[in-house]
Amino acid sequence: MEFKKLTSTEPFDVATYVKMYYELYKGHELRLYLGCDSQNKLNTTYATTLVFNVAATGCHVIYRKEVVPLISDMWTRLWGEAERSVDTALYLREHGIEIDTIDLDYNVDPKYKSNKVVTAAVGYVESLGFKARIKPDLLPAAYAADHIVG
């Protein structure tokens, strides 16, 4: 599964990169955040991100961006975000890297449209052994994806 750095257009295998990053920061407190966001314009664009946080030193972001034909149905588009996050987490798991939590860019508050996906997406994520975080929690990977997808 190919990802890129924000500072380069050269793709690389995400599992290989994560293992290298863990080795580089061995002995440090390292947290990994995974999430996805999407946006509709002429097409639908998805950005899946992994955010590395090393203690209090800041964050490093890698991403995968996909452009697909326009998905006008909101539920289907938002479900695609959960699927891409889970696909990435499962790919990493297959390569010996365990993701604890997936950031889902959906809101627990029913006044937001994304709330319609919360129950199904959280159930899907948790049925595979991952924890799901949703708004109003702080979601570093979803926020990073939001900036990349735009």
Side-chain angles (χ1 to χ4, degrees):
M1 180 175 288
E2 291 188 340
F3 271 61
K4 295 179 183 178
K5 292 181 187 180
L6 293 174
T7 57
S8 172
T9 58
E10 198 64 37
F12 51 83
D13 177 68
V14 66
T16 303
Y17 190 87
V18 172
K19 286 178 182 178
M20 181 273 310
Y21 207 87
Y22 273 124
E23 187 61 33
L24 184 64
Y25 288 97
K26 197 174 198 173
H28 292 84
E29 182 184 341
L30 177 64
R31 294 174 196 244
L32 189 59
Y33 301 97
L34 168 64
C36 184
D37 195 17
S38 64
Q39 186 175 58
N40 276 350
K41 289 190 180 173
L42 297 175
N43 295 302
T44 298
T45 302
Y46 288 97
T48 307
T49 59
L50 278 168
V51 177
F52 300 83
N53 177 244
V54 182
T57 63
C59 293
H60 171 63
V61 177
I62 61 173
Y63 72 97
R64 176 186 177 113
K65 197 170 184 179
E66 297 173 75
V67 179
V68 299
L70 184 68
I71 301 171
S72 56
D73 176 66
M74 184 202 60
W75 203 97
T76 303
R77 179 175 57 86
L78 294 177
W79 185 255
E81 295 175 13
E83 287 180 317
R84 283 161 176 78
S85 293
V86 165
D87 287 349
T88 302
L90 291 174
Y91 180 83
L92 291 172
R93 180 184 280 169
E94 290 169 7
H95 290 82
I97 301 160
E98 200 58 45
I99 297 292
D100 180 56
T101 304
I102 296 177
D103 293 349
L104 298 170
D105 194 23
Y106 313 137
N107 204 306
V108 70
D109 189 334
K111 75 178 181 180
Y112 294 98
K113 292 179 182 179
S114 67
N115 178 264
K116 292 172 176 50
V117 184
V118 167
T119 302
V122 168
Y124 174 50
V125 166
E126 292 182 350
S127 75
L128 294 166
F130 306 108
K131 294 177 194 157
R133 291 191 312 171
I134 57 175
K135 293 175 182 175
D137 287 347
L138 179 64
L139 309 172
Y143 294 135
D146 179 61
H147 289 288
I148 291 168
V149 81

